[in-house]
């Protein structure tokens, strides 16, 4: 074996004491293995001549299936190959600690990548100078604050206040870049329309495929009619707040078929000249025990006493996603007292203890019939307000969380017991996915009681109907998950006391969403749903004018459906455009 000696865990060099110890044990006359100083290359060069070619290959799947490796080769070095992730069986709390910093990391990545895209396209179509110095500084701030102790949440409190200042600068900078670049593009778009309508509104899509969804719009004019009175081709006003004193209005639009990495011009009127086909779904729970959300694609029952989701029914596949008698979106609190390294660790056994269930709702308020409800809870020193939103035209339910968190050494999860599950859950990792066991049959599986993921995790399998089903949990700022048996959980918050005694104390605002689906996560395009949940559509209100660009246009698209376009930017050292993607 090779011993990498030195001081600390950051590649420090040896001290005189370490060198003296090495010479001592390498000297003759000691009953020890042969010890000699050398380089890594000399070690590997000697070793490769002795390796058995048919060494065993191990991974979770082979262990679960009872795989028997080939026999050892006498006289050779038998080196097993571990064909899976190098899961670190320690420091599992770093996926969650300092939640606001992790939200900043996720949002800043999106902000800078989007700014690069629109600035690059503005440069191509107008010759507008590409803001390379500004974007370089933005990336430096983003990446500096992803240093491992900072990103892990294991730093002292002051560094997160400094980091917040950096993120505020990045947010301001990228907003300015986006606004300037999109305005350059809008000036070149033919936005001429008919008189008497509201618009034009140019909606931009930063992703490489056609998509639909909600977008926020601020109009510098008041609209007196009700929200339901305004629509247009492929657009519907879902919510409207008129600020008549300020002669302005804030709209939430549901738009359809915005082109890939492109835009579409929308107009609104009261003429209903696009038949959006919306019907009010008035669905009631006959038992009177639940509040019902139903948009024609999904039907959600929320228990009036507990605030739990007791049913998540997919109309499209005719399947109930939750297990019988389940409390979905159940908030679970665990005593979280690491033996060492408070901010870093969730100790083995933490999740084996019975959680405290936050299973009593203080109030349930219907904000919009069949579409939006608010569940309020209090527990110990904290308050939890969750707004469940199931608008027409979507296939997922959004859960908006406003949490005032004042606990010590408590870990908070949201749990979802499912009707269809299997031996592995799938998690998004950088530029890929990985399957991890939902069983605990050996020490490797037992160690993975808390795992990392990015925008989503999915658990599925064959349901009671004999068909494949699953549930994807999408998130905008979380990184910790676990799955055991038929239950998939998202880790929401922790409350360590060292090295930052105030870590995560105070207000938190974040979203996650539930996406039930038929088939596998691949069939359901969960990857795309995760990106769409993190990369919102944006809108620019402009004037009617001619232009060389058409009213609807895609600058770039990708195919097939398993390809994702992640970056578009001007080359740093020449007049070229670069793209980056993943499969």
């Amino acid at each position: 074996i090779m011993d990498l000696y030195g001081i600390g865990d950051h590649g420090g060099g040896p001290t005189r004491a370490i060198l003296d110890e090495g010479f001592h044990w390498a000297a003759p006359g000691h009953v020890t293995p042969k010890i000699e100083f050398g380089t890594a290359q000399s070690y590997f060069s000697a070793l490769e001549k002795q390796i058995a070619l048919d060494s065993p290959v191990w991974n979770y799947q082979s262990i679960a299936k009872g795989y028997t490796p080939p026999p050892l080769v006498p006289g050779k070095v038998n080196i097993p190959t571990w064909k899976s992730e190098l899961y670190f069986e320690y420091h599992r709390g770093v996926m969650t600690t300092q939640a606001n910093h992790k939200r900043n990391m996720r949002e800043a990545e999106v902000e800078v990548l989007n700014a690069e895209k629109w600035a690059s396209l503005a440069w191509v179509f107008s010759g507008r100078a590409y803001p390379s110095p500004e974007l370089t500084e933005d990336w430096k701030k983003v990446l500096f604050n992803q240093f491992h102790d900072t990103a892990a949440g294991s730093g002292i409190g002051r560094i997160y206040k400094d980091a917040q200042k950096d993120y505020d600068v990045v947010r301001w900078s990228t907003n300015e870049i986006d606004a300037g670049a999109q305005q350059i593009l809008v000036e070149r778009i033919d936005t001429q329309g008919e008189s008497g309508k509201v618009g034009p509104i140019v909606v931009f899509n930063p992703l490489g495929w056609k998509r639909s969804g909600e977008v926020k719009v601020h109009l510098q004019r008041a609209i007196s009619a009700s929200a339901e009175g305004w629509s247009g081709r492929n657009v519907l006003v879902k919510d409207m707040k008129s600020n008549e004193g300020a002669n302005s209005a804030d709209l939430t639009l549901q738009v359809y078929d915005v082109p890939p990495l492109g835009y579409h011009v929308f107009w609104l009127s009261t003429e209903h000249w696009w038949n959006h086909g919306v019907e009010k779904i008035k669905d009631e729970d006959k038992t009177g025990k639940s509040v019902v959300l139903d948009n024609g694609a999904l039907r959600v029952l929320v228990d009036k006493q507990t605030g739990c989701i007791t049913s998540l029914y997919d109309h499209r596949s005719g399947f109930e996603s939750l297990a019988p008698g389940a409390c979905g979106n159940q908030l679970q609190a665990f005593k979280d007292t690491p033996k060492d390294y408070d901010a870093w660790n969730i100790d083995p056994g933490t999740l084996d203890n019975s959680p405290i269930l936050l299973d009593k709702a203080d109030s349930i308020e219907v904000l919009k019939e069949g579409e939006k409800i608010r569940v309020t809870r209090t527990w110990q020193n904290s308050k939890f307000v969750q707004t469940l939103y199931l608008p027409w035209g979507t296939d997922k339910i959004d859960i908006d969380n406003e949490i005032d968190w004042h606990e010590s050494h408590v870990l908070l999860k949201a749990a979802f017991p499912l009707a269809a599950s299997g031996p592995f859950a799938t998690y998004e990792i950088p530029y890929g996915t990985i399957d991890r066991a939902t069983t605990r049959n050996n020490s490797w599986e037992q160690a993975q009681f808390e795992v990392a993921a990015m925008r989503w995790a999915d658990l599925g399998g064959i349901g009671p109907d004999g068909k494949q089903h699953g549930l994807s949990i999408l998130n905008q700022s979380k990184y910790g998950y676990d799955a055991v048996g038929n239950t998939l959980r998202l880790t929401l918050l922790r409350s360590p006391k060292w090295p930052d005694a105030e870590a995560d104390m105070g207000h938190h605002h974040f979203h996650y969403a539930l996406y039930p689906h038929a088939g596998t996560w691949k069939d359901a395009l969960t990857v795309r749903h995760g990106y769409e949940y993190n990369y919102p559509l944006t809108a620019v209100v402009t004037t009617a004018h001619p232009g060389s660009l058409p009213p609807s246009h895609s600058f770039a698209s990708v195919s097939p459906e398993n390809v994702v376009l992640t970056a578009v930017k001007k080359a740093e050292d020449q007049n070229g455009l670069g793209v980056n993607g993943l499969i």
Side-chain angles (χ1 to χ4, degrees):
I1 63 172
M2 179 169 57
D3 175 37
L4 301 174
Y5 57 86
I7 291 296
D9 61 355
H10 298 84
T15 62
R16 291 181 180 273
I18 289 176
L19 294 174
D20 288 343
E21 185 178 1
F23 285 122
H24 171 78
W25 291 110
H30 295 97
V31 185
T32 61
K34 179 185 177 184
I35 295 175
E36 63 182 46
F37 289 101
T39 64
Q41 184 58 58
S42 62
Y43 169 79
F44 289 120
S45 296
L47 188 64
E48 64 185 358
K49 300 175 183 178
Q50 307 172 49
I51 295 175
L53 297 179
D54 195 17
S55 295
V57 176
W58 293 94
N59 56 31
Y60 289 116
Q61 288 84 350
S62 64
I63 294 169
K65 295 175 182 178
Y67 165 72
T68 301
L72 299 180
V73 180
K76 290 287 186 179
V77 176
N78 294 269
I79 300 179
T81 299
W82 179 256
K83 191 177 180 182
S84 186
E85 66 181 316
L86 295 176
Y87 177 82
F88 186 42
E89 298 185 4
Y90 204 44
H91 291 354
R92 299 170 181 88
V94 300
M95 283 83 85
T96 303
T97 309
Q98 296 287 0
N100 286 329
H101 185 79
K102 289 176 168 59
R103 174 183 54 81
N104 277 327
M105 287 196 301
R106 179 79 63 83
E107 291 178 353
E109 291 169 358
V110 173
E111 290 159 0
V112 183
L113 285 169
N114 281 348
E116 286 181 339
K117 293 172 186 175
W118 301 126
S120 298
L121 293 170
W123 168 73
V124 168
F125 283 89
S126 72
R128 179 178 186 259
Y130 183 76
S132 182
E134 293 88 345
L135 287 169
T136 297
E137 286 303 311
D138 291 339
W139 273 122
K140 286 180 178 179
K141 288 181 172 63
V142 170
L143 298 177
F144 179 82
N145 286 295
Q146 291 186 2
F147 168 71
H148 68 259
D149 277 320
T150 314
S154 54
I156 60 175
R158 181 174 177 178
I159 68 173
Y160 296 103
K161 295 178 181 178
D162 289 343
Q164 183 64 59
K165 295 177 183 178
D166 283 346
Y167 286 121
D168 290 342
V169 172
V170 170
R171 191 161 288 117
W172 176 86
S173 172
T174 54
N175 282 343
E176 290 293 303
I177 293 171
D178 283 342
Q182 290 180 352
Q183 186 60 41
I184 289 290
L185 294 172
V186 166
E187 291 171 358
R188 285 155 177 76
I189 298 172
D190 183 356
T191 60
Q192 299 176 95
E194 301 177 32
S195 61
K197 294 181 172 58
V198 175
I201 301 168
V202 184
V203 176
F204 286 91
N205 172 18
L207 297 176
W209 55 83
K210 181 172 67 176
R211 61 187 285 208
S212 305
E214 288 188 351
V215 63
K216 304 291 184 181
V217 178
H218 179 73
L219 293 176
Q220 292 295 337
R221 58 171 289 187
I223 303 178
S224 57
S226 66
E228 288 78 6
W230 293 85
S231 63
R233 285 197 183 95
N234 286 358
V235 59
L236 168 70
V237 176
K238 301 182 72 172
D239 192 26
M240 175 167 58
K241 178 183 178 183
S242 290
N243 309 306
E244 296 189 12
N247 196 34
S248 64
D250 293 299
L251 309 180
T252 300
L253 306 182
Q254 175 72 30
V255 297
Y256 295 86
D257 300 334
V258 183
L261 190 60
Y263 63 85
H264 187 83
V265 179
F266 293 96
W267 291 84
L268 300 173
S269 76
T270 56
E271 299 174 5
H272 294 284
W273 47 281
W274 175 61
N275 181 19
H276 49 73
V278 175
E279 296 181 4
K280 284 285 186 181
I281 300 173
K282 293 186 177 180
D283 199 351
E284 298 180 358
D285 176 35
K286 296 180 181 179
T287 67
K289 296 181 179 180
S290 302
V291 179
V292 180
L293 302 177
D294 197 327
N295 68 351
L298 302 178
R299 183 174 186 265
V300 180
L301 298 185
V302 179
D303 187 271
K304 293 180 179 179
Q305 299 298 317
T306 65
C308 291
I309 297 176
T310 56
S311 175
L312 181 55
Y313 183 77
D314 189 337
H315 287 295
R316 301 159 301 176
S317 61
F319 185 74
E320 171 57 57
S321 298
L322 297 182
C327 175
N329 194 41
Q330 183 179 64
L331 297 183
Q332 300 180 349
F334 295 84
K335 184 179 180 182
D336 182 19
T337 52
K339 181 181 178 182
D340 298 303
Y341 299 111
D342 222 21
W344 289 259
N345 286 352
I346 301 173
D347 281 356
T350 298
L351 304 183
D352 296 336
N353 300 318
S354 296
I356 299 171
L357 306 180
L358 281 62
D359 57 0
K360 184 180 184 303
D362 296 343
S363 65
I364 294 183
E365 180 184 1
V366 177
L367 302 180
K368 195 169 186 179
E369 186 178 4
E371 186 170 316
K372 184 183 290 188
I373 65 170
R374 178 183 294 148
V375 180
T376 302
R377 299 180 179 89
T378 53
W379 175 71
Q380 295 192 159
N381 302 309
S382 301
K383 183 177 181 179
F384 309 83
V385 179
Q386 292 188 309
T387 302
L388 283 66
Y389 182 39
L390 184 65
W392 186 88
T394 186
D395 52 6
K396 60 181 178 293
I397 178 169
D398 179 75
I399 301 176
D400 180 317
N401 297 266
E402 295 274 2
I403 298 179
D404 193 21
W405 182 246
H406 296 281
E407 306 302 327
S408 294
H409 290 119
V410 174
L411 181 146
L412 182 69
K413 283 182 173 282
F416 301 89
L418 305 181
S421 62
F424 298 97
T426 303
Y427 304 83
E428 186 188 41
I429 59 176
Y431 291 93
T433 61
I434 192 167
D435 290 343
R436 296 175 175 127
T438 59
T439 54
R440 300 293 184 263
N441 294 330
N442 52 62
S443 62
W444 296 292
E445 294 177 357
Q446 292 165 10
Q448 292 200 345
F449 60 83
E450 180 80 357
V451 296
M454 294 184 66
R455 285 168 283 260
W456 59 269
D458 182 273
L459 179 57
I462 303 300
D465 61 357
K467 298 179 181 179
Q468 180 81 28
H469 300 274
L471 175 75
S472 300
I473 301 179
L474 316 176
N475 79 82
Q476 295 177 345
S477 60
K478 301 300 175 184
Y479 295 91
Y481 282 87
D482 77 294
V484 59
N486 71 326
T487 300
L488 181 60
R489 294 188 293 199
L490 175 66
T491 308
L492 305 181
L493 291 169
R494 296 185 68 223
S495 47
K497 295 301 171 187
W498 182 79
D500 178 10
E502 297 299 317
D504 287 324
M505 294 297 97
H507 179 259
H508 296 269
H509 183 207
F510 56 87
H511 291 249
Y512 56 88
L514 312 179
Y515 173 43
H517 58 81
T520 67
W521 61 269
K522 293 180 181 180
D523 300 325
L525 298 179
T526 290
V527 173
R528 288 193 169 187
H529 277 71
Y531 272 93
E532 290 177 10
Y533 198 55
N534 283 264
Y535 286 74
L537 298 166
T538 56
V540 175
V541 180
T542 185
T543 59
H545 58 261
S548 57
L549 291 173
S552 185
H553 184 64
S554 169
F555 297 107
S557 61
V558 293
S559 64
E561 292 178 330
N562 64 317
V563 178
V564 177
L565 179 67
T566 58
V568 176
K569 73 179 301 292
K570 179 186 176 296
E572 292 292 321
D573 55 356
Q574 56 184 308
N575 289 330
L577 205 62
V579 297
N580 182 61
L582 66 90
I583 299 177

